[in-house]
Amino acid sequence: MAGMNEVNISHIRQDFLMPTGGLEVLRDINIDLRGGEFVSIVGESGCGKSTLLRIIAGLDKPTDGEVLIGGEKVNGVSSKVGILFQESRLLPWYSTEKNISYGLPRGMDRNEGRERVRSLIDTVGLNGFEKALPSQLSGGMQKRVAIARTLAGHPKVLLLDEPFAALDAFTKMNMQDEILRIWEREKITTLLVTHDIDEAIYLGERVVMMSPKPGVIKKVIPIDLPEDHSRTSDEFDAYRREIFKEFFGSDKRMSQWFSDD
Amino acid sequence: MSKKHKILSVCGVLLIILIILYWQIGSERGWINSILLSSPSDIAASFRSLWGSGSLQKHILVSFKRVMIGYVSGAGLGIMFGFILSTMPSLEKLFSFSLAIIRPIPALALFPLFILWFGIGEGSKIMVIAFMSFWPTFLNTEEGVRQADKNLLELADALQKGRVTKMATVLLPSTLPYIFAGLRLAISRAWGGVVVAEMLAASSGIGFLIEYSRDMSQTATMFTGVITIAIIGFTADLLLRILQDRICYWHTEVK
Ligand SMILES: Nc1ncnc2c1ncn2[C@@H]1O[C@H](COP(=O)(O)OP(=O)(O)O)[C@@H](O)[C@H]1O
Ligand SMILES: [Mg+2]
């Protein structure tokens, strides 16, 4: 019997019907996540990362293949899966507090819910902004609200779609550490999608590399970093080089990128 | 508001005062024909006497009642239909042709028929106003539902919100600014409508007052009626705007 929070993605194919004919967006995607594992998917824009997450979340039906969560076939949305969309998607008419409560499971006890929202506000560091509307928050803070809302549902599987792409470098690093802390504490199976190679290495226990047209898995790289995940260590650099070489081939573009860094 | 805007607003008020002043002086000196254009002081006198006798209030009240009943029912139905049709594609398909045929008919063209069906009394006027109030609210509500953020609707789906919750938490709030735009359009149409209807067939109301004073060649009274309409229309819109800012609080926060 599979673990409750194990994810098996097998032979996923997704075609979109376009006026010009069928567009193959995903081809034969296979990924198995152990319960509690953190996997990053990295690939350029348009390679089908969001499409894959939508299928896992049950928002879209794949043309072919299936996704199992805890051994059960995904067939529509379920409370087992929490998805953090690429956009924050906060309700503009709700305060921080209410936006987070919006993610609470249905039929949860009122007091229990209030307590959970309060502790989530603590977790994402939004104390003092409980009553603020989204328009009064910075982009980073809006993202925190969205994260808290997703966690409010107590998902067994967490899907993160480029959660930090729109944030500045400092906020981004803080939030990445926050996500790691939450993941380590709650042991949620997490699938992160990103086009940021450093982010994929820093957060993932494995990095799945995707290439576009059609979206396929190019390579899977297990990441074994020292506890502190230091971004400046030689080990980190070695992974970075490996992934760059895999994506771009030539070392020339790579050295250019490293001097920019 | 910036300093420049403030100065411009003050200038705008000064401009009106200047025009009225010129108007008054021009009337006194005989530059302006008083049969065509009563002087501000004559209009003020007519206003005072009509108000003093209580007849102006009576006319206002009669028109106000007609507008309120017609507007509330017409706009209410507009909002309801807008919501129902735009959220139920099959109903929309079913009714869209009939609605497209009825919509271009000017409400006043139906007035004689309404008189035939609902009598020359209150019924026909209320129906005209309801008809006029229906369209802007209906069309705006529909547009609002159409413009609702698909991402937020999908979020509600992802969080497994039921149909009713989704409506109440996402669809209705995102439609509210559109509904208010429709309500404001409708109230000005309704006011215009009641006046014309009263001119055509009534023995009371502001429209009747204007038409009657034309018969009597009382230019100042005609102006009193027109100015009353302007004041009430302006006030109604202002109230709706205040209500909108209160209810759609998140909209104003953005500014
Ligand atoms: N609903 C859809 N209909 C048609 N094409 C789509 C749809 N959703 C995504 N696509 C196309 O699929 C490809 C992958 O999109 P997406 O999954 O958003 O990529 P990524 O998230 O990796 O940037 C893009 O070419 C996009 O235009
Ligand atoms: Mg994407």
Side-chain angles (χ1 to χ4, degrees):
Chain A
M1 160 100 190
M4 282 288 283
N5 48 356
E6 195 175 297
V7 180
N8 307 100
I9 302 161
S10 48
H11 306 296
I12 290 294
R13 174 203 173 98
Q14 186 68 302
D15 295 340
F16 285 119
L17 214 54
M18 303 295 275
T20 50
L23 174 69
E24 192 180 9
V25 170
L26 292 173
R27 177 189 288 176
D28 197 27
I29 302 292
N30 296 283
I31 309 171
D32 292 317
L33 288 93
R34 282 178 283 109
E37 190 181 14
F38 199 127
V39 170
S40 311
I41 298 180
V42 65
E44 69 181 85
S45 224
C47 73
K49 305 182 297 294
S50 297
T51 304
L52 180 60
L53 286 197
R54 295 174 56 81
I55 291 170
I56 301 168
L59 287 165
D60 285 343
K61 283 217 176 326
T63 310
D64 215 344
E66 61 177 15
V67 177
L68 304 180
I69 290 176
E72 258 175 70
K73 188 172 167 174
V74 170
N75 188 16
V77 292
S78 113
S79 56
K80 285 191 283 192
V81 184
I83 182 166
L84 184 67
F85 292 101
Q86 210 166 329
E87 321 81 20
S88 292
R89 301 198 186 182
L90 302 181
L91 303 187
W93 36 88
Y94 276 179
S95 64
T96 297
E97 232 168 31
K98 281 188 128 183
N99 263 300
I100 298 174
S101 323
Y102 200 60
L104 290 171
R106 218 189 321 191
M108 192 178 199
D109 175 72
R110 273 179 87 96
N111 287 323
E112 200 185 332
R114 206 170 304 141
E115 208 37 62
R116 181 149 179 76
V117 170
R118 210 185 336 249
S119 93
L120 278 165
I121 286 174
D122 262 344
T123 306
V124 296
L126 281 171
N127 300 296
F129 293 93
E130 291 86 349
K131 303 284 179 218
L133 292 174
S135 58
Q136 299 166 318
L137 301 174
S138 70
M141 291 161 106
Q142 291 179 11
K143 206 81 225 186
R144 285 158 199 260
V145 178
I147 291 173
R149 178 181 60 197
T150 306
L151 293 173
H154 251 319
K156 301 201 160 35
V157 175
L158 188 58
L159 307 174
L160 307 172
D161 194 350
E162 303 194 20
F164 315 123
L167 305 182
D168 66 88
F170 294 96
T171 315
K172 186 191 268 192
M173 287 193 209
N174 283 331
M175 303 268 293
Q176 286 167 347
D177 287 334
E178 224 156 77
I179 282 289
L180 273 186
R181 265 201 304 278
I182 293 167
W183 167 70
E184 270 157 10
R185 199 181 54 221
E186 314 227 344
K187 279 294 163 205
I188 312 175
T189 310
T190 307
L191 187 58
L192 169 101
V193 146
T194 180
H195 56 237
D196 180 335
I197 293 172
D198 275 21
E199 180 171 283
I201 302 169
Y202 186 69
L203 294 175
E205 295 175 289
R206 277 190 290 157
V207 173
V208 174
M209 296 174 59
M210 276 183 74
S211 61
K213 285 176 197 149
V216 291
I217 294 178
K218 212 172 153 76
K219 196 171 180 183
V220 180
I221 299 169
I223 305 288
D224 188 15
L225 282 172
E227 258 316 291
D228 66 348
H229 287 244
S230 166
R231 298 170 206 252
T232 50
S233 67
D234 290 342
E235 291 96 325
F236 201 103
D237 240 17
Y239 285 125
R240 199 183 269 150
R241 274 171 200 285
E242 184 181 350
I243 292 172
F244 261 82
K245 212 173 254 166
E246 196 65 48
F247 270 129
F248 306 115
S250 85
D251 263 312
K252 207 162 163 204
R253 287 171 72 179
M254 210 164 97
S255 55
Q256 192 188 341
W257 188 80
F258 278 107
S259 61
D260 278 355
D261 194 24
Chain B
M1 206 156 44
S2 75
K3 200 170 169 184
K4 190 178 155 197
H5 284 161
K6 254 184 203 158
I7 293 173
L8 282 173
S9 305
V10 173
C11 285
V13 174
L14 280 178
L15 185 70
I16 289 194
I17 293 174
L18 225 65
I19 289 172
I20 293 175
L21 218 66
Y22 173 79
W23 181 356
Q24 177 65 33
I25 294 168
S27 307
E28 279 170 20
R29 301 266 163 100
W31 303 337
I32 295 171
N33 182 345
S34 67
I35 302 283
L36 301 180
L37 208 59
S38 314
S39 74
S41 59
D42 283 350
I43 296 171
S46 136
F47 194 93
R48 252 196 313 273
S49 89
L50 278 170
W51 187 269
S53 70
S55 77
L56 185 58
Q57 295 93 308
K58 222 162 54 206
H59 288 304
I60 290 175
L61 205 69
V62 167
S63 299
F64 185 77
K65 227 160 104 187
R66 287 171 183 153
V67 168
M68 274 340 267
I69 298 172
Y71 176 72
V72 168
S73 45
L77 281 174
I79 294 170
M80 232 167 66
F81 269 68
F83 247 103
I84 293 173
L85 289 198
S86 56
T87 50
M88 297 181 187
S90 43
L91 275 185
E92 163 117 77
K93 288 250 156 48
L94 189 63
F95 284 113
S96 72
F97 187 59
S98 344
L99 287 168
I101 289 180
I102 302 170
R103 207 179 74 204
I105 304 175
L108 287 167
L110 292 174
F111 190 41
L113 274 176
F114 285 168
I115 292 176
L116 190 67
W117 296 339
F118 308 108
I120 190 114
E122 299 307 294
S124 52
K125 291 175 199 73
I126 288 169
M127 281 306 291
V128 165
I129 294 157
F131 189 86
M132 284 178 151
S133 309
F134 175 82
W135 294 105
T137 41
F138 168 69
L139 293 171
N140 270 279
T141 306
E142 253 201 339
E143 184 61 16
V145 171
R146 251 199 296 276
Q147 294 294 330
D149 191 341
K150 300 288 171 296
N151 280 344
L152 293 184
L153 291 168
E154 191 187 64
L155 170 87
D157 287 337
L159 294 175
Q160 295 185 285
K161 302 294 179 193
R163 213 181 142 76
V164 176
T165 312
K166 195 165 131 183
M167 281 247 201
T169 57
V170 182
L171 217 47
L172 184 63
S174 44
T175 312
L176 275 174
Y178 290 84
I179 291 179
F180 269 104
L183 284 176
R184 286 174 60 189
L185 254 173
I187 195 75
S188 67
R189 297 255 180 99
W191 263 112
V194 78
V195 170
V196 177
E198 285 168 352
M199 284 176 168
L200 292 174
S203 51
S204 59
I206 298 291
F208 164 78
L209 177 71
I210 295 172
E211 182 61 15
Y212 180 77
S213 46
R214 188 186 63 82
D215 280 345
M216 302 284 121
S217 299
Q218 294 167 344
T219 313
T221 313
M222 285 161 69
F223 270 102
T224 302
V226 169
I227 291 170
T228 306
I229 292 167
I231 292 172
I232 293 174
F234 175 82
T235 312
D237 190 60
L238 185 72
L239 289 178
L240 275 175
R241 234 165 42 211
I242 291 171
L243 200 65
Q244 174 177 22
D245 285 349
R246 277 275 174 91
I247 293 179
C248 307
Y249 52 89
W250 65 92
H251 241 237
T252 52
E253 294 286 350
V254 183
K255 279 188 244 163

